Amino acid sequence: TNISANSVSAGCDLTALFPRFINIRRGGYIAAIVGLCMCPWNLLKSSNNFTNYLSAYSVFLSSIAGVMITEYYIIRKGLYKVSDLYKTDKESWYWYTYGVNFRAYAAYIAGILINVVGFAGATGRSVPLAATRIYELSFFTGFGVSAVVYYALNRIFPVVGSGGSFEENDIS
């Protein structure tokens, strides 16, 4: 079930990126080939390899989670506008700056950078003890740094549609 679910998802994603050249079936095949080229059996050789892989994965996901949760709960305060998700004009809540939310990218990179040195230490490099300790808490440090940076950037450069008090609803 997991293999078929992941191949359909990857097939749809690749179809959306290159609809002229890739259909869902081709996208599934490409995902299968990339999956085999990654040699996933090497990740499971030892528990240490698998744990290192998951730690590295959390470095990237924690920064995304920090931005998303700060956006929804603190910046927008539960307000969202579904109709604006499908608009490509400047009046849309989600247009930002020419369609790119530079605040989110800056916060995401800041959340990753706090853990990069410790990540290098996990791969066998010699790094300071403080960097190793920060990396051991990589999810929390990445999440926290990206959330604080995103909040600060949204205070400096406010977005359209910021909420006043928390009220979860669609105001389309």
Side-chain angles (χ1 to χ4, degrees), residues 1 4 9 13 52 60 76 79 85 96 114 145 150:
T1 301
S4 64
S9 172
D13 292 344
N52 284 340
F60 300 103
R76 303 271 183 200
L79 297 176
L85 290 171
Y96 301 108
I114 191 76
V145 167
Y150 190 67

Side-chain angles (χ1 to χ4, degrees), residues 49-125:
N49 284 354
F50 188 64
T51 306
N52 284 340
Y53 169 75
L54 290 179
S55 294
Y57 198 58
S58 74
V59 167
F60 300 103
L61 291 184
S62 64
S63 299
I64 293 171
V67 169
M68 289 174 65
I69 289 174
T70 303
E71 168 79 13
Y72 183 75
Y73 286 105
I74 297 173
I75 304 300
R76 303 271 183 200
K77 294 191 175 44
L79 297 176
Y80 54 93
K81 202 168 182 182
V82 175
S83 61
D84 277 5
L85 290 171
Y86 303 99
K87 288 184 183 174
T88 58
D89 57 5
K90 293 180 181 180
E91 284 73 39
S92 170
W93 276 16
Y94 309 106
W95 175 250
Y96 301 108
T97 306
Y98 298 104
V100 177
N101 186 354
F102 72 89
R103 301 163 200 82
Y105 281 110
Y108 174 67
I109 291 169
I112 290 172
L113 287 178
I114 191 76
N115 294 309
V116 166
V117 178
F119 177 68
T123 62
R125 305 277 193 285

Side-chain angles (χ1 to χ4, degrees), residues 1-15 22-33:
T1 301
N2 196 17
I3 292 171
S4 64
N6 287 331
S7 67
V8 168
S9 172
C12 289
D13 292 344
L14 289 170
T15 301
I22 300 174
N23 59 19
I24 293 175
R25 179 181 288 172
R26 286 182 188 153
Y29 287 140
I30 291 170
I33 291 167

